[in-house]
């Protein structure tokens, strides 16, 4: 596997469940697939993608993969990297559709030139027939992230392990982010079926402002007993505000219940500490591996998936959080893991 722009590697993940190590055969077709990503080496989540691509190469030694990204992200820079990759005429491309408008031109040009494309992590959200004609999308579903977490909480409430929801606040740091709004919408649909009121609250990304905004909301709405933070790093802020207000935010059958997202260290450690009921994984490892497999099967056999391939959400709770902590430490490294745990 080849890396662009200072990509770092550490130990490999455990062997893929899809099979053992294969060996290239004489005369076998050789392929080169490129992942053009928005997740740079300053983001530990890159490790999920690059390690899974290494595992792919072990299974398919006649394929070389390349990971290209930038640490100084901008849509314009991403498009530049994409156009640069297309100019090298790879046998396949995997790319998140960060901007449908900006990516449409270069990707349609690549597809028309016979280069298959798989979208990963972020799909083209436009209707079928209007979107970029990539083979498939491999990644999570933000609406389902909120909905499944809400449904999980309701199961626990029915079991008497946590309070039944009366009023849920979805705390978001970016009011314009469609993915975050989808998470809130999923939570709303799950909770309103159970009779709970749901409000979306813009708290911002600055800690003091976010804490003050959330505190004001909880004071004005004393019936609120669930807080859903749509970023893992804001979950300690929510727990801290509720704790200072003596609202009993730890996971038990009274007080306030906190839910959050992502398989990052702060989310997982929040669950392990009993501060957060549950979080989720969007299946980053599969988002690196599965696009490479579909590109291979398309080139080798002409196969094309007939639907999107969802890699999440996977619920992370007290029963599996220890295992997730072990997995994430293996990918992030102990130093980065501990630095991101802000509890």
């Amino acid at each position: 596997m080849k890396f662009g722009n200072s990509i770092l590697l550490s130990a490999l993940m455990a062997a893929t469940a899809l099979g053992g190590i294969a060996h290239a055969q004489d005369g076998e077709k050789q392929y080169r697939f490129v992942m053009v990503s928005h997740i740079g080496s300053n983001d530990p989540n890159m490790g999920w993608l690059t390690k899974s691509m290494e595992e792919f190469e072990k299974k398919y030694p006649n394929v070389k993969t390349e990971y290209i990204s930038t640490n100084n992200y901008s849509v314009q820079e991403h498009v530049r990297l994409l156009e640069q990759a297309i100019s090298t005429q790879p046998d396949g491309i995997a790319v998140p559709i960060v901007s449908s408008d900006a990516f449409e031109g270069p990707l349609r040009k690549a597809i028309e030139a016979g280069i298959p494309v798989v979208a990963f992590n972020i799909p083209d959200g436009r209707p079928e027939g209007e979107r970029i004609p990539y083979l498939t999308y491999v990644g999570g579903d933000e609406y389902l992230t909120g909905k499944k977490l809400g449904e999980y909480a309701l199961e626990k409430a029915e079991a008497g392990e946590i309070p039944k929801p009366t009023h849920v606040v979805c705390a978001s740091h970016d009011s314009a982010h469609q993915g975050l709004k989808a998470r809130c919408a999923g939570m709303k649909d799950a909770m309103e079926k159970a009779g709970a009121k749901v409000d979306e609250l813009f708290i911002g990304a600055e800690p003091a402002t976010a804490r003050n905004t959330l505190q004001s909301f909880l004071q004005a709405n004393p019936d609120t007993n669930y807080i859903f933070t749509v970023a893992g790093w804001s979950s300690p802020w929510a727990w801290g505000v509720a704790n200072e207000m003596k609202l009993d935010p730890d996971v038990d059958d009274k007080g306030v219940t906190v839910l959050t997202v992502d398989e990052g260290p702060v989310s997982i450690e929040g669950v392990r500490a009993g501060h957060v009921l549950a979080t989720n994984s969007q299946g980053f490892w599969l988002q690196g591996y599965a696009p490479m497999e579909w590109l291979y099967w398309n080139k080798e056999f002409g196969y094309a998936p007939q639907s999107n391939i969802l890699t999440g959400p996977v619920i992370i709770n007290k029963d599996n959080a220890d295992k997730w902590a072990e997995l994430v430490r293996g990918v992030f490294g102990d130093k980065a893991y501990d630095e991101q745990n802000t509890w």
Side-chain angles (χ1 to χ4, degrees), residues 11 17 53 64-66 80 119 124 134 139 149 155 160 192 196 209 215 228 258 291 311 326:
M53 289 167 67
K64 296 300 181 187
T65 63
E66 297 177 18
R80 188 190 69 77
D124 184 341
Y134 47 69
L149 282 167
E155 290 177 9
E192 286 188 340
T209 301
Q215 181 176 352
F228 177 38
V258 179
T311 58
E326 179 182 344

Side-chain angles (χ1 to χ4, degrees), residues 256-283:
V256 166
T257 298
V258 179
L259 293 144
T260 193
V261 296
D262 292 338
E263 64 265 61
V266 68
S267 301
I268 293 171
E269 293 305 316
V271 173
R272 296 179 78 195
H275 299 324
V276 173
L277 174 66
T279 182
N280 80 297
S281 166
Q282 60 172 286

Side-chain angles (χ1 to χ4, degrees), residues 127-171:
E128 187 73 27
E130 296 180 21
R131 68 169 174 79
I132 298 165
Y134 47 69
L135 288 176
T136 188
Y137 164 68
V138 178
D141 183 305
E142 302 298 356
Y143 172 81
L144 286 181
T145 292
K147 188 168 185 288
K148 294 297 183 183
L149 282 167
E151 291 173 346
Y152 174 77
L154 291 173
E155 290 177 9
K156 295 301 173 185
E158 285 297 321
E161 298 179 28
I162 58 174
K164 291 187 177 181
T166 54
H167 191 167
V168 182
V169 59
C170 184

Side-chain angles (χ1 to χ4, degrees), residues 244-266:
E244 290 168 5
M245 295 175 69
K246 301 187 185 305
L247 298 177
D248 190 6
D250 278 337
V251 179
D252 53 29
D253 60 356
K254 55 185 179 297
V256 166
T257 298
V258 179
L259 293 144
T260 193
V261 296
D262 292 338
E263 64 265 61
V266 68

